[in-house]
Every structure is written in structure tokens, then in C-alpha cells.
Amino acid sequence: MQQEQKEPAGGEQLTSRPASERNIVDSVVIIPTYNEKENVAAIIEAVFGLPREFDVLIIDDNSPDGTAAIVKDLQKKYAGRLHLVERAGKQGLGTAYIAGFKWALARDYEFVFEMDADFSHNPADLLKLYDACSRDGADLAIGSRYVTGVNVVNWPMGRVLMSYYASRYVRVVTGMPINDATAGFVCYRRRVLETLPLDGIRFKGYAFQIEMKFLAYKYGFRIKEVPIIFVNRVLGTSKMSSGIFSEGFFGVMRLKWSSLFTKYERKTV
């Protein structure tokens, strides 16, 4: 089996495959990893165990714990379904997803998902996000912790309050009718990612999720929140930091200010 090539630090090579080699599965789940050896095999198996077929793309930032080696071993079992892009080092969540989006757009996927590796997002909820886009007409489906109250399990109360009120703050400042603007469990239709200026995304951490949703909203795409239950990770270490929250707080004001001087027009194909 031919494995994904290890990519240089400067970025991913995104040449499309020949038509004869393109995957007929219409969905790919992008999972960024850094030191996720405790979770990565289980999350991959859980996605492939769903009743609907999803391909999986792991974006690994040179995890020193051997995460990538575990993925490579599983590629023997899931040839053509499990993909791996290795990056030279830890470059931020936002850049990992941008690399994954470009990889997906170079192929024939219609639905592109973001999901964490640590089971804070239930893989079974991929089916609900898929239905929201494929059946209900959403362009962006958000796995929302706050659309029906506060659906978070095993988080300290301080973190719950910080996350909840951060989303409230984003909603007030930006005007987006979204209850969980910082959610990292989403499904994009292909046309959204083809429209958004991916090379112009400014934020790498906490604010990346806000910026992507804000742009989708400003470009007029239909957004739907799907209620999920978010469960705090059991294995591995959280990647959250005070700097990530700081980026989100000040980044929202920058987004709103710059939007006052920007025209959001979809390209006509």
C-alpha cells in the first residue's frame, strides 16, 4: 500500500489524484494530533465502525510519543481509507485544519469534518452533522454544546463558565446567531471551503474556530447547530492554554473591526 508522503515544513503538496484513483466516499474526517497515542487508534476504529462510510485524515505535528507510527500501522488495515499527513513540528490547530482542508479540496470530497482525537466529540454524532448538511440543507453544521442549554460532561465549573460566556461574548460582538462559536466539531460542505479565503485565515488557536464560522456567516452560508454532548478527555493531556483564550478574546474584536471594511462576495463559477 502506498502511504501518504511525509510533507515538508513549508506546506503540503496538494496535487489531485487521477480520476481512476479518487475515492468514492463523499466525506472525510480531519483529526489533528499531537501526542495522542492513547486515543488515536481507538478514535480511528470508532469512525470506521459507523454505519456510514467516512474517510479519515490524520494531521500529525511530529508527535514525539509515536502517534504517527500507530496511524501508519493502521493504514495497512484501512488501505485507501486512512490517510496521514506528517508536519515538521507543532504549528497550531488552525494551520493543521487549513492543511487538511486543502488536502480534501484536492480530492472529490463533498463533506469535510473537523473532530478532536480525544473522544470529547462522540464519533456517532458525525452522522447527525452529515444529515444536517446532506439532508437538511446546511452548508455548515456545528456540533453545539450550548444550543439546548449546557451539554458538557466532566469539565470543571470554571472552564464551563469560561467557554459558555466566551461564546456569548462572540455572539454579542460579531452578531452571529450561533450559540457555540468556539465549537471544534463541525461539517463543511465543499462549497464553503472553496469560497473562504483559506490562505487569509489569521488565527491558529482558539480564535480559528470563531474566524471560520464568522466568515461562513458573512458569506451568507446556511449554518445549523446540532446539539451534542461534549465529554472532557479521559486519556492524554489537554492542549488548552491562557494564550489560546487571549487570542480568542482580542481576535473577536479584530474580526468585527476588519469586517466593517470588507466586502463578502461569493465567486461566480
Side-chain angles (χ1 to χ4, degrees):
M1 182 203 67
Q2 183 177 359
Q3 295 180 347
E4 299 295 318
Q5 293 183 349
K6 187 167 183 177
E7 303 294 350
E12 286 66 32
Q13 297 176 2
L14 300 167
T15 304
S16 297
R17 292 176 292 177
S20 61
E21 297 179 12
R22 291 176 188 166
N23 202 316
I24 61 172
V25 177
D26 66 354
S27 305
V28 62
V29 182
I30 301 172
I31 306 176
T33 57
Y34 183 77
N35 286 349
E36 291 288 357
K37 68 177 183 179
E38 298 93 345
N39 297 303
V40 70
I43 198 73
I44 290 169
E45 296 281 6
V47 173
F48 286 138
L50 294 172
R52 173 173 290 279
E53 288 191 341
F54 297 87
D55 283 358
V56 174
L57 170 63
I58 302 294
I59 308 287
D60 187 70
D61 277 5
N62 196 26
S63 298
D65 71 346
T67 297
I70 296 172
V71 177
K72 289 176 182 176
D73 188 58
L74 280 172
Q75 284 184 310
K76 302 170 188 175
K77 179 179 180 181
Y78 297 110
R81 300 284 311 284
L82 174 59
H83 308 278
L84 171 67
V85 170
E86 296 180 82
R87 305 201 302 170
K90 197 172 183 182
Q91 301 174 44
L93 180 70
T95 64
Y97 275 127
I98 295 299
F101 295 156
K102 291 181 177 180
W103 185 97
L105 290 175
R107 290 146 176 89
D108 289 340
Y109 298 106
E110 177 62 27
F111 304 99
V112 181
F113 296 77
E114 297 180 10
M115 189 174 75
D116 290 346
D118 60 8
F119 284 94
S120 55
H121 303 141
N122 184 347
D125 287 333
L126 289 167
L127 302 173
K128 296 196 293 186
L129 296 178
Y130 181 89
D131 286 345
C133 288
S134 66
R135 183 188 65 193
D136 301 337
D139 297 305
L140 167 59
I142 301 169
S144 177
R145 298 163 289 186
Y146 307 127
V147 70
T148 58
V150 178
N151 295 318
V152 177
V153 177
N154 293 336
W155 258 7
M157 183 55 65
R159 187 168 176 184
V160 172
L161 292 173
M162 181 181 296
S163 174
Y164 176 78
Y165 284 107
S167 282
R168 297 289 293 178
Y169 163 73
V170 172
R171 181 166 181 154
V172 169
V173 173
T174 64
M176 286 192 295
I178 297 175
N179 293 285
D180 194 356
T182 62
F185 191 24
V186 300
C187 173
Y188 292 96
R189 288 197 75 109
R190 181 183 187 90
R191 57 177 170 252
V192 179
L193 297 177
E194 289 176 331
T195 298
L196 301 192
L198 297 180
D199 289 330
I201 300 297
R202 290 171 290 183
F203 300 112
K204 296 182 179 181
Y206 186 68
F208 166 80
Q209 301 293 358
I210 302 170
E211 185 174 7
M212 289 292 293
K213 295 176 185 67
F214 182 69
L215 288 172
Y217 166 69
K218 296 299 288 186
Y219 276 101
F221 287 107
R222 184 182 177 191
I223 300 172
K224 179 176 181 178
E225 290 189 87
V226 176
I228 64 162
I229 296 176
F230 180 95
V231 180
N232 193 29
R233 70 160 61 233
V234 175
L235 301 174
T237 304
S238 173
K239 312 304 187 295
M240 280 292 179
S241 69
S242 58
I244 290 174
F245 281 104
S246 176
E247 180 192 58
F249 181 83
F250 293 106
V252 170
M253 292 187 284
R254 289 177 57 190
L255 284 175
K256 179 62 176 179
W257 176 253
S258 65
S259 72
L260 301 176
F261 308 97
T262 304
K263 292 184 67 176
Y264 298 92
E265 296 180 350
R266 299 193 203 178
K267 296 179 181 178
T268 301
V269 180

